[in-house]
Amino acid sequence: MPNARTARLSRRGLLAAGGALGLGAVLTACGDDDAKDGGADTKGSAKSGPWSFKDDRGTTVKLDEAPKKIVAFTGVAAALYDYGIEVKGVFGPTTTKDGKADVQAGDMDVSKVTVLGNVWDQFNVEKYAALAPDVLISTMFDDAGTLWYVPEASKDKIAKLAPSVGISVFDRQLTAPLQRMWELAESLGADMTDTKVTEAKKRFEAASERLRKAAKAKPEIKVLVGSASPELFYVSGTNLSIDLEYFKALGVNFVEPTEEAKKATGGWFESLSWENVDKHKADVIMMDDRSSAIQPADITEATWKQLPAVKAGQVIARSTEPILSYDKCVAPVEALAEAIEKAKKVS
């Protein structure tokens, strides 16, 4: 999630840092730039007539009809899938080394989409052109409009092939991008009155209330958000990430990196050597669930195993890049609520 200010850090370290890393530049804006407030413009119908959508860059994309050949960042495609909208192609973490669906692919059948790139800085422009895309959709982890996982080297070629839509996941609470994805899916023809959709939203709201109550009942429980790489352990701050900002607003007591430490990463996180992994005291640890990060069961460092929260079994997964459908955001909220409810004070 850090932007170009963190470019001096290794890309590998940045990708593992418990936040997304906007290392590219802004894509050439497609469409009409007259709108600046980032609100939704869903005039037209997915069934007939013209389609338009104003994204979070303030760019309005206008087409003669709702796009049918959609290419999207994997996490965006997964969210749209939950609303009944299927895409033709994806880019970003889609399959694991054993060919199974990556955690960011959600419930999508990854065998039925064209994968244009599965890792950072990989995007097959020729395959993209062959799909004759109507629109490209991705998230944005900075305020400059950088489209996530669209490579800097080929962004201009990609921008010429189809207009793009950007949904911001930078420095706001989770509910904001959830609503924007809802609006986008609705504009594309999703039935937002479907029972599955409305019930998922209710479950998310119930989970949020449960977390609020848990945090209020146990304000002494400190939660640390981490991510592991072979060389370093990263402690995420809460001020820029959509999930952590939301959880903090619900009352969760988070461990925060020092301001001095966060300055080196644009405010996102603090890097610690494994020898210093015990710098911050915590009762519950949330660990990055992305395939780019080492998972808790695979961490062999003795200093990690000696952490009180680890010894107490109070470690849970964190959806560092949440799939922006209400259905997929229920489990992370419930997991944190349950962890706090059951947590013992060990710090």
Side-chain angles (χ1 to χ4, degrees), residues 10-222:
S10 72
R11 186 177 70 202
R12 181 183 184 184
L14 288 171
L15 284 170
L21 318 163
L23 299 178
V26 185
L27 273 181
T28 302
C30 297
D32 188 1
D33 287 336
D34 57 347
K36 298 300 180 184
D37 60 5
D41 181 359
T42 57
K43 294 178 181 179
S45 168
K47 296 179 181 179
S48 63
W51 177 86
S52 67
F53 188 85
K54 185 166 65 175
D55 75 0
D56 291 337
R57 297 170 298 184
T59 297
T60 300
V61 177
K62 297 179 179 180
L63 300 173
D64 292 338
E65 60 180 2
K68 294 179 175 60
K69 297 179 180 179
I70 301 171
V71 171
F73 171 68
T74 303
V76 170
L80 292 176
Y81 182 88
D82 285 350
Y83 291 129
I85 304 297
E86 297 188 24
V87 306
K88 296 294 184 181
V90 297
F91 54 96
T94 307
T95 59
T96 57
K97 292 180 180 179
D98 57 6
K100 296 181 180 179
D102 188 274
V103 65
Q104 294 190 61
D107 293 333
M108 280 194 303
D109 184 344
V110 295
S111 69
K112 293 183 177 180
V113 294
T114 298
V115 181
L116 303 175
N118 198 54
V119 297
W120 181 259
D121 221 25
Q122 183 184 88
F123 192 114
N124 191 314
V125 180
E126 289 72 23
K127 281 187 177 182
Y128 179 59
L131 290 174
D134 296 322
V135 68
L136 179 148
I137 309 172
S138 190
T139 48
M140 302 181 298
F141 283 94
D142 60 25
D143 55 8
T146 307
L147 294 177
W148 188 227
Y149 265 78
V150 173
E152 169 69 15
S154 55
K155 67 181 180 64
D156 292 336
K157 292 181 180 179
I158 293 168
K160 291 177 181 178
L161 294 171
S164 60
V165 168
I167 300 298
S168 180
V169 289
F170 175 72
D171 196 15
R172 61 202 62 203
Q173 293 183 28
L174 177 60
T175 45
L178 272 174
Q179 178 61 27
R180 294 295 284 136
M181 193 63 70
W182 175 289
E183 293 167 356
L184 176 60
E186 185 174 36
S187 80
L188 293 170
D191 180 5
M192 311 313 281
T193 65
D194 183 87
T195 302
K196 180 181 178 182
V197 173
T198 57
E199 286 301 315
K201 188 172 184 180
K202 290 178 182 178
R203 288 189 291 112
F204 174 80
E205 292 167 348
S208 298
E209 183 58 27
R210 178 183 175 184
L211 178 57
R212 186 193 304 276
K213 291 180 178 178
K216 184 177 181 179
K218 288 189 171 182
E220 73 280 5
I221 297 299
K222 294 183 178 180

Side-chain angles (χ1 to χ4, degrees), residues 2 6 9-10 12-18 21 225 227 229 231-237 257-258 260-277 279-280:
T6 60
L9 299 177
S10 72
R12 181 183 184 184
L14 288 171
L15 284 170
L21 318 163
V225 183
S227 186
S229 76
E231 298 85 7
L232 296 169
F233 182 82
Y234 304 93
V235 178
S236 293
T258 63
E260 182 178 0
K262 288 194 295 183
K263 284 181 181 179
T265 62
W268 287 98
F269 56 87
E270 176 181 8
S271 304
L272 297 175
S273 66
W274 283 103
E275 290 78 9
N276 295 315
V277 73
K279 176 180 177 179
H280 301 286

